[in-house]
Amino acid sequence: MLLLFAAVCCAAPVGNAISVYVALKTGQQDDGGIAEGGSAADIPPRMLTAYKKAVQQVGKYVPKCQGMRWPILAGIAKVESNHAVGRNIAAGGDIRPKIYGVLLNGSGQGGNTTAFPDTDNGKWDGTSQGERAVGPFQFLPSTWESIGKDAGGDKIADPHNADDAALGAAIYLCGGGRDLTQRAQLKSAILQYNHSSEYVANVLGWIVQYTAAAKDPDLKNVSGKVRTVIEAALSQRGVPYSWGGGNASGKSYGICCSPSGKSGANIKGFDCSGLTVYAYAKVGISLPRTAAAQSGVGQRIPASLGTGALKPGDLVFYAYAPGRDSTIYHVGIFLGSGQMINAARPGAVVRLDSVNAMSGFAGGARLL
């Protein structure tokens, strides 16, 4: 099994079985340590529309609010409901089945230790036995009563509607008129949502990733072969991830199977190193097939120099044990401004991600 893993990108090198086990057991990473990268490609289009719509509308209710952006709302919704993924989201924004949190009755189930008495007689949370959070932004009915607004024009402010819920979240985060471009005020807004430093750090991490993914790459100062490589990789945005897929000629069917059992055999696309092989082939550079092997090509950029040492077109690596290139499991192509072109994981597509989207930054390599 390990020999098969070593044959493709994003896999553990031979002899690294313990690292594979640890990465898969964390529950925070998938497929040998690949974090879930945050980009618009991970968000149901109707939910993304709701976030952007809320940004446009929030000024009507909180005129003094500054700096509200869709990545802020996406960061909250990612942590609260994973963007309602798996639900049906109607054209009008209604989400079905409805999203309910655990009953907050102090039982300890789901981590709740404090009982919250019912405030809505089950109108929003479906029970009169107590309170439970509702909708993609997981509002308590009592909170929704004070900030819920109708964003869609149907005269109903419904926390189970994507547009209404996103607008309510924007209003809540804006408070009396915060400047969310200031990190301290953004942190205060998130703390208001959930008074936990761990929660704040989690949401801020997603906001950083979505912010990077929201920016179109600035290539005005990139030319020559570097530009050719980057444009080749960018041309594949939206192509599905395929475990073992991709070669110098382009996307291809992959193989079975990733550490979590995902097969690329029926998916025509790229894995991480398949994408880099393809992009660099456009300038006549033949790369090895695995991410770990690619770290030995060109001028190595140590992780100790940080991401600030990277230049557009550089390969950027991630490892189970940064400093040990034999443990490299992932590679992307650096774009600049904290972004990379990334074939992140099974179930995703080639996309822009923050260079912080993956765990274990292990430096880079400059080939041009």
Side-chain angles (χ1 to χ4, degrees):
M1 184 66 74
L2 285 175
L3 289 173
L4 175 60
F5 287 177
V8 293
C9 166
C10 307
V14 175
N16 199 36
I18 293 177
S19 291
V20 174
Y21 177 77
V22 170
L24 292 177
K25 292 295 283 185
T26 62
Q28 299 175 346
Q29 301 172 328
D30 183 31
D31 292 290
I34 304 170
E36 270 192 10
S39 82
D42 287 322
I43 304 173
R46 186 60 185 83
M47 292 299 295
L48 182 58
T49 296
Y51 306 155
K52 292 180 177 179
K53 185 176 179 180
V55 171
Q56 295 172 347
Q57 294 179 327
V58 70
K60 174 182 177 181
Y61 301 97
V62 193
K64 294 183 179 180
C65 185
Q66 299 180 55
M68 177 55 70
R69 302 172 286 120
W70 75 255
I72 295 175
L73 298 175
I76 295 286
K78 172 65 181 180
V79 175
E80 294 294 343
S81 71
N82 193 27
H83 308 297
V85 169
R87 258 67 174 186
N88 178 61
I89 309 170
D94 288 337
I95 298 170
R96 299 294 183 272
K98 296 178 180 180
I99 302 172
Y100 295 115
V102 298
L103 184 64
L104 299 175
N105 57 5
S107 67
Q109 180 185 1
N112 87 88
T113 56
T114 303
F116 287 78
D118 177 66
T119 63
D120 68 334
N121 198 31
K123 178 180 179 181
W124 299 122
D125 62 6
T127 178
S128 60
Q129 303 305 306
E131 294 278 82
R132 54 182 179 175
V134 297
F137 284 89
Q138 289 291 276
F139 287 110
L140 289 177
S142 56
T143 303
W144 183 252
E145 187 65 28
S146 63
I147 53 91
K149 302 295 180 184
D150 169 30
D154 63 359
K155 311 292 187 186
I156 300 172
D158 183 353
H160 298 286
N161 176 278
D163 295 329
D164 296 355
L167 178 57
I171 292 170
Y172 190 57
L173 292 165
C174 280
R178 290 189 176 94
D179 181 356
L180 299 176
T181 65
Q182 302 298 313
R183 188 172 179 84
Q185 293 193 43
L186 177 59
K187 290 178 70 174
S188 293
I190 300 169
L191 270 172
Q192 174 187 261
Y193 213 101
N194 186 320
H195 203 73
S196 159
S197 58
E198 182 179 354
Y199 178 88
V200 171
N202 194 7
V203 170
L204 286 173
W206 286 111
I207 292 173
V208 167
Q209 293 186 40
Y210 288 127
T211 298
K215 296 177 181 177
D216 288 327
D218 180 5
L219 301 181
K220 64 183 179 182
N221 295 320
V222 179
S223 60
K225 290 184 176 180
V226 170
R227 189 181 186 102
T228 299
V229 167
I230 289 175
E231 289 183 339
L234 286 173
S235 72
Q236 302 306 306
R237 278 188 291 180
V239 172
Y241 182 100
S242 175
W243 181 263
N247 54 47
S249 299
K251 60 186 178 182
S252 68
Y253 289 103
I255 62 174
C256 185
C257 280
S258 75
S260 64
K262 306 290 177 60
S263 175
N266 296 315
I267 302 173
K268 195 171 186 179
F270 294 96
D271 65 12
C272 64
S273 58
L275 180 64
T276 55
V277 165
Y278 167 73
Y280 270 91
K282 293 297 184 182
V283 294
I285 295 177
S286 179
L287 290 178
R289 186 56 180 82
T290 67
Q294 289 178 7
S295 68
V297 179
Q299 176 191 346
R300 192 73 169 89
I301 303 167
S304 60
L305 296 179
T307 58
L310 298 171
K311 293 183 178 181
D314 288 348
L315 298 179
V316 54
F317 300 108
Y318 302 85
Y320 296 116
R324 293 174 54 197
D325 285 358
S326 63
T327 69
I328 286 174
Y329 69 85
H330 193 78
V331 61
I333 298 176
F334 187 66
L335 275 175
S337 301
Q339 292 178 294
M340 65 177 170
I341 313 167
N342 195 23
R345 58 182 172 84
V349 297
V350 176
R351 65 199 188 186
L352 301 186
D353 270 332
S354 164
V355 291
N356 297 319
M358 318 300 291
S359 61
F361 172 66
R366 187 161 300 146
L367 282 65
L368 294 170

